[in-house]
Amino acid sequence: MKIFVDTANIEEIREAVSWGIVQGVTTNPTLVSKEGRPFKELVEEICSIVDGPISVEVTATDAEGMVEEGREIASWHPNIVLKIPMGIEGIKAVKRLSTEGIKTNVTLIFSPNQALLAAEAGATYASIFVGRLDDIGQDGMQVVAQALQIYRNYSFSTEIIVASVRHPMHILRAGEMGAPVVTAPFKVLEAMFKHPLTDIGLQRFLADWEKLKNLMK
Ligand code: E4P
């Protein structure tokens, strides 16, 4: 499984990358606006930290505008993947950009059929927002399972990104299903490292080692 960090915060990205298990970054207009910095400068700094796919979202709302804006953003760095919102205009734009060899990540996917359309248009990634589905009482991971099955049936090369992750259980279920990519907030990734028995076990090992050191004095 590839693990991406879902943030535009430079400190979080630097820290997560230092762990050696994070292979990419996903951003969106909300995450970028939280940072209060010029867009291009922020994206270029992220690209200088992470040697992997960096998803950056377009804000135009028609296909023509998305393609134009997308070409400009993609020219900033070779690792940039254009995040394009699901919809007729978005899918038209993905088709054109993918034909030009520009990588895309179709965002705001909430159904297996939307995931199918993203793959048909040649998207590099399809982001399924599991947390937002859970929030309205639908099982987000069930949509991931259905989309994975469709992709396997037709050997699509588009990779599903499990996005809008809220807790480590989303990542566990993604792993059990064989989802190729998960993007998670910094805090959720940090939580994956933790287990109370690990802390208790380490304290005990260190205390016993201290006892031995005292005996050897
Ligand atoms: C995905 O790429 C999005 O940036 C993100 O996962 C959205 O998550 P949210 O539902 O927590 O805003």
Side-chain angles (χ1 to χ4, degrees), residues 71-139:
R71 285 188 191 128
E72 162 63 19
I73 294 173
S75 75
W76 297 345
H77 195 281
N79 285 347
I80 290 176
V81 175
L82 296 174
K83 236 176 167 185
I84 310 280
M86 181 65 212
I88 290 175
E89 293 303 303
I91 289 301
K92 280 193 220 167
V94 169
K95 182 70 189 178
R96 282 176 56 187
L97 291 163
S98 63
T99 308
E100 291 177 22
I102 296 176
K103 290 187 174 162
T104 54
N105 172 0
V106 178
T107 189
L108 292 168
I109 292 182
F110 294 96
S111 77
N113 275 344
Q114 289 180 326
L116 171 62
L117 293 170
E120 295 284 0
T124 317
Y125 301 102
S127 289
I128 302 178
F129 278 38
V130 297
R132 293 192 195 185
L133 281 164
D134 292 356
D135 289 345
I136 61 156
Q138 281 185 39
D139 183 1

Side-chain angles (χ1 to χ4, degrees), residues 159-210:
E159 291 190 304
I160 288 169
I161 302 183
V162 178
S164 183
V165 161
R166 299 270 195 265
H167 45 68
M169 284 304 292
H170 279 142
I171 302 176
L172 173 60
R173 286 188 66 197
E176 288 171 336
M177 288 176 188
V181 190
V182 163
T183 189
F186 180 83
K187 278 196 181 326
V188 175
L189 294 181
E190 205 178 31
M192 288 173 74
F193 287 86
K194 293 178 186 157
H195 196 288
L197 290 179
T198 304
D199 299 340
I200 293 166
L202 182 59
Q203 275 170 15
R204 197 171 295 157
F205 285 151
L206 293 175
D208 289 343
W209 194 248
E210 276 306 310

Side-chain angles (χ1 to χ4, degrees), residues 51-67:
D51 186 17
I54 318 290
S55 289
V56 181
E57 193 156 336
V58 299
T59 50
T61 52
D62 63 303
E64 197 57 46
M66 288 178 195
V67 170

